[in-house]
Amino acid sequence: MDKLYIICVDDQREVLNALTEDLELFESHLHIEECESADEAWDVIESVDSEGDHVAVLVTDQVMPKNSGVDLLKKLREDGRFDQTRTVLLTGQATHKDTIEAINTAHLDNYIEKPWKKEALHETIKVLITKFLLAKGLDYQKLTDVIDQNTLLTNLRKTT
Amino acid sequence: MSAKLIKLIISIGIPVIILLLPVSSFGIDGLTIVEQRVIAIFFFAALFWILEPIPIYATSLVIIFLELFMISTKGFKPILTSNDPETFGNLVDYKVIMHTFASPIILLFLGGFFLAMAATKYRLDQNLARVFLKPFGENPKMVMLGIMIITAIFSMFMSNTATTAMMLSILAPVLAVFLPGDKGRIAFTLAIPFAANVGGIGTPIGTPPNAVALKYLVGDSYISFGQWMSFAVPYVVILLFVAWGVLLVFFPIKTDKIKLNIKGSWLKNRKAYIVYATFALTIILWLTDFLHGMNSYIVAMLPVAVFSALDIINKNDLKNISWDVLWLVSGGIALGLGLEGSGLAERLISVIPFDTYSPMVIILLVTVVAMMMANFMSHTATANLLLPLVAALGTSLSSLEAFGGNKMIILVVTVSCSISMALPISTPPNALAFATGGVETKHMAKSGIIVTIIGLLLNYLTMYVLNIIGFF
Amino acid sequence: MNERISFAFVKKEYFSDEEKKINLKKGEILINQNQVNTRLFLVTKGSLQGYLKDKTMENYPIFEATENKFLGVYSYFSAGHHSYSKVVATEDSEVFYYDKEFQSHTDEEMNQLAPFFTSLLVNELSTRQNFAKQMAQEKHNDTQRLLKAEKMATLGQMAAGLAHELNNSIGVIDGGLERLSGFITGCVYDHQQEQLNQYYEFGLKQGQEVSSEDARKNRKHFESIKGLSSAQIRKLSKTGINPEEVKKLLKKEPSLAEKIYQYWEMGCTIHDIQIAAKHSTHVVRSVKQLGVSEHEWAKDVSINNTIDEALVILRNLTKRVQTEISLDENLPATEACFGQLVQVWINIVKNGIEAMLTAKTPDPIIRIESEQQNENIVIKITDNGPGIPQNIIQQIFEPSFTTKVGGLNFGLGLGLSIVQRIVTEHDGAISVNSEPGKTEFIVKIPLIA
């Protein structure tokens, strides 16, 4: 099966560590990549794509030196290869304007405020992974630990 | 080496070896080269469906291609010409193999899919569930029975998976309020997949193994939609009560009150009315073929035509049709065709001395094998593999006549395929319920095995009664 | 106007009688409010001011008369001859007067003077109006200043309150952490996993020094070790532990893979919390300074120590560039505010490093030097970043100036305006020279014996 990735971006290493630590649950089935800048994240996204694997979820901080999280999300959205990749903006200091911009121009899927709650983060990521798998038509049966049942059931009702 | 690769090597290796062996090594008199190829394809199908190195529907498509390539009249010429037609054997008409994609059985299922899809889209399913569940009150045991009956009825006309998905999402808020330690939660979570599995037996379109069975229920063995329901629905009802009882014994409910709150209201627009009317009319026509002469296959085209013409099912909805299920059945039909068309089925029956066994032993053997296999692999794939063999057995074995003959043995095996529900991997509804996290494999196994075994015994009893009243 | 009647003529003719001269000392009153006045005065020396007294305002100034200006115009020409203001000398002055009562003139004379007085009156009116306008403007400015001061005071109080609250919490965190880390270290050593202790220590001492990019590169070394899950490979790659060492250890005990990371992470986490607590302490200190200016001046502050302290706080940042420190060991101590100077270095160094990182300067270097020059201690902070553009170099010390997008990073950068304020408070000076590839901040702190 093709590999699935969750890409985490935050310029603060401590925060990045805490984030991947909290996402460890997903590592049983998905790969987690840590990136300290938007540019680094883009390189990783490109290499995942060139291997024929999938970026299922991108979790990014907003305020970073050079390219911001919103810049990264916009770039991802404008690239047809990643139109199903789900995105999360994770930040404690986004201004109202940043958030609106992220939603309007980068079609942000989710906005999580720092400090986050582990359970809430898990729920969100599960829903996003499920949506990604269903949209991509990938096999979800072996991933029951990391997908959201409600999202799955709602979708399965529509099939025959 | 990954497990997947090992599976793939085994699944390809064994059929290739069979293909390369000299014909004489099989020890079957008069075995032709084409028949040998069919044996290889059959092993290929069995290994691929059992080990599942690729999706099961993909195996079906490969089977159809292999048949077209190796044993059809327009196949790959270099391997299809022979100096000695006697030892080479009979080729199968390529058109017949290709027709499996659009066989009446497939179209019957397509009709069922259209009905189910329109019902979901116009919320007929949810509204029916809301109305039907009301009379069952708030007593948890009665609510559970109600849910099981509704689930079973729906799964007769909708796919078992979609029915389970709907009922589980209706039940989700109720499940959430169960106190920890209350086994009632397990009972409710298992009730839905069990009812969906059992309910599928109720109509020819209830579950894909029934479709596979229809292929062999032709000619003298023909069975109409209504006839199917007349024996299957009572069976379903009894087994449903059995499952209900088993679940209540194993997982007693502590809560004394359960309040289902299904939201929604009837849609009251032109399209919705058309859906309600077409749904009702289609079922009525299916049950009254003796009045109007249209068989169930032709009736099935009614919803397809009406819903497409009136844009009730649009282009986008077509994408949600489970083509994989249809093609899985096509592959099974094609496999049967290969066995029959090449003459292999007859030859096997003639070679193996089945007549020396008691028919009772044979029935017991095939049903238990079907039940066991279906617990570990797809019900449809099990039916795909077993029914062609069983059908050949049924027509050739004269001693079976006293028990109901060909028709009986096909039905008894088909039902045996559908009642296996001991493991999460047994059926998609089981997998869905397991995925909710509310049940463990051991919960499902201990109640599932009991229901399966009682179902099997009840299956024999049904056939016995049917034989007595002269159904066959 | 009749040319004969000029100001000089009037002055000579009517305001030159030595008997009608009054000398006033500073503060002496010429006319009281509401007093009957029949005299017209001409100031020949000094200056006087007219005040109006009403219910709300004591002595509200309404006009000012300097040399060659007339006084008492209103009361002289009005019907009742009542003065509407009090006139006081603001310095020693000399005035001549002309009294209506005692000096009568012929009608012809008066007719000749009329145009002169008309112009005098108009002039008087416009002068007073201007004066009133000016006073109103000044009053408005005063109000604004007062409001701003009040706002700053409120902000300062809030900041002080916040700082106080946070200070207590951070104190608990900092102290608790110290006890906990001691306790945990004890537990680790008691745990009989001797081969793992070094990883705990490694994490505790260094924290994570491997960047995410390098961690990805490290991965292939760990991928060659059999039996590691992808998660374990990812984690081990960022520890900076030698893969060969891990390989050797795992050969003996394959089950230790997870443990190695856990021990390292335990140390690393404590390390991170220590850094974070330290950061918080300093942020709180900066906020306090911003608000109520907590000055803890001492007579024997070592400037080198303040630089060291700043570098400790900035460790996370300085390790991302090459840092060259050359401090003069023999610098004498001086009277200064330790905490504030630390702030100065933090701000300058942080600005420099961030500019280099943002611009992706190849081989970024930051150099900090200190030396004594005569009666000053001079600190030079140099980076090889992109430089400050000429068009904004004038503004960098302005309070609201920032080149950062989206705000602060770790809450330390209170800006160069603070830096300048602090340096000024030390009677020092700060200057900046910048060109692409070299930006140099020079801070001079005078030695105070």
Side-chain angles (χ1 to χ4, degrees), chain C residues 21-58:
Chain C
K21 185 176 93 177
I22 301 171
N23 281 309
L24 292 153
K25 294 267 177 234
K26 182 180 175 184
E28 241 179 294
I29 298 168
L30 179 64
I31 313 168
N32 264 313
Q33 199 168 337
N34 292 328
Q35 182 191 343
V36 174
N37 172 42
T38 53
R39 292 168 176 179
L40 185 64
F41 300 94
L42 177 70
V43 182
T44 49
K45 218 194 258 171
S47 93
L48 297 98
Q49 187 130 37
Y51 295 100
L52 191 68
K53 195 176 174 182
D54 64 13
K55 279 171 203 159
T56 57
M57 188 80 72
E58 286 274 312

Side-chain angles (χ1 to χ4, degrees), chain A residues 1 144 149-150 152-153 156-160, chain B residues 113 117 120 126 159 166 320-322 432 435:
Chain A
M1 202 181 82
T144 45
Q149 288 308 316
N150 261 334
L152 179 65
L153 291 179
L156 281 182
R157 283 184 59 183
K158 288 192 211 130
T159 62
T160 55
Chain B
F113 286 174
M117 191 171 270
T120 309
Q126 187 141 352
S159 90
M166 177 187 82
N320 278 332
I321 287 183
S322 306
L432 274 186

Side-chain angles (χ1 to χ4, degrees), chain B residues 14-319:
Chain B
I14 292 177
V16 168
I17 292 170
I18 292 172
L19 215 50
L20 295 177
L21 286 174
V23 182
S24 55
S25 62
F26 287 86
I28 300 172
D29 268 351
L31 189 75
T32 65
I33 292 173
V34 170
E35 286 167 12
Q36 182 192 1
R37 287 177 190 171
V38 173
I39 293 175
I41 291 173
F42 190 83
F43 271 87
F44 171 88
L47 289 165
F48 267 73
W49 275 331
I50 292 167
L51 298 177
E52 272 189 56
I54 61 171
I56 50 175
Y57 78 93
T59 302
S60 272
L61 295 175
V62 176
I63 291 167
I64 292 174
F65 168 74
L66 288 177
E67 288 190 353
L68 288 168
F69 183 77
M70 295 200 300
I71 61 164
S72 83
T73 48
K74 292 287 175 192
F76 187 56
K77 231 177 186 171
I79 60 166
L80 294 176
T81 42
S82 165
N83 301 331
D84 187 358
E86 193 83 351
T87 56
F88 187 73
N90 305 323
L91 291 175
V92 184
D93 186 356
Y94 79 97
K95 282 184 190 162
V96 174
I97 300 175
M98 283 189 162
H99 281 167
T100 56
F101 279 121
S103 90
I105 298 159
I106 300 295
L107 294 176
L108 173 69
F109 259 65
L110 192 67
F113 286 174
F114 267 68
L115 275 186
M117 191 171 270
T120 309
K121 198 171 170 182
Y122 289 84
R123 282 173 247 156
L124 180 59
D125 53 357
Q126 187 141 352
N127 285 324
L128 283 175
R130 185 165 52 88
V131 172
F132 287 168
L133 276 171
K134 252 186 206 148
F136 289 93
E138 293 182 352
N139 178 341
K141 289 177 188 168
M142 293 314 290
V143 172
M144 188 168 134
L145 182 66
I147 284 176
M148 290 180 83
I149 292 173
I150 304 296
T151 308
I153 292 175
F154 282 178
S155 76
M156 288 180 193
F157 299 97
M158 290 166 61
S159 90
N160 298 353
T161 313
T163 308
T164 307
M166 177 187 82
M167 295 307 284
L168 280 177
S169 54
I170 285 177
L171 207 58
V174 179
L175 290 177
V177 298
F178 271 101
L179 293 170
D182 188 346
K183 286 185 174 168
R185 192 190 148 98
I186 303 171
F188 269 88
T189 313
L190 286 177
I192 290 171
F194 284 6
N197 294 334
V198 172
I201 300 168
T203 64
I205 60 162
T207 179
N210 300 358
V212 183
L214 288 180
K215 184 203 176 284
Y216 303 100
L217 295 171
V218 287
D220 287 345
S221 306
Y222 176 78
I223 187 164
S224 74
F225 203 96
Q227 281 172 318
W228 183 295
M229 284 185 78
S230 69
F231 89 86
V233 170
Y235 173 81
V236 167
V237 170
I238 297 169
L239 192 54
L240 215 51
F241 274 97
V242 169
W244 179 60
V246 168
L247 287 174
L248 284 182
V249 169
F250 276 122
F251 311 108
I253 305 170
K254 282 197 195 132
T255 314
D256 53 0
K257 211 172 179 187
I258 275 195
K259 222 175 160 159
L260 280 177
N261 185 18
I262 308 172
K263 290 194 196 90
S265 58
W266 292 95
L267 291 184
K268 292 189 178 99
N269 57 53
R270 192 178 59 90
K271 282 186 179 178
Y273 285 126
I274 291 170
V275 171
Y276 305 154
T278 311
F279 203 97
L281 184 64
T282 308
I283 293 175
I284 291 169
L285 289 176
W286 264 335
L287 297 176
T288 55
D289 56 339
F290 52 89
L291 289 178
H292 51 70
M294 288 188 285
N295 66 19
S296 53
Y297 308 119
I298 288 159
V299 173
M301 297 312 288
L302 174 74
V304 176
V306 171
F307 293 156
S308 300
L310 299 177
D311 202 32
I312 285 165
I313 298 293
N314 61 29
K315 231 160 72 177
N316 200 38
D317 296 322
L318 292 185
K319 288 181 195 157

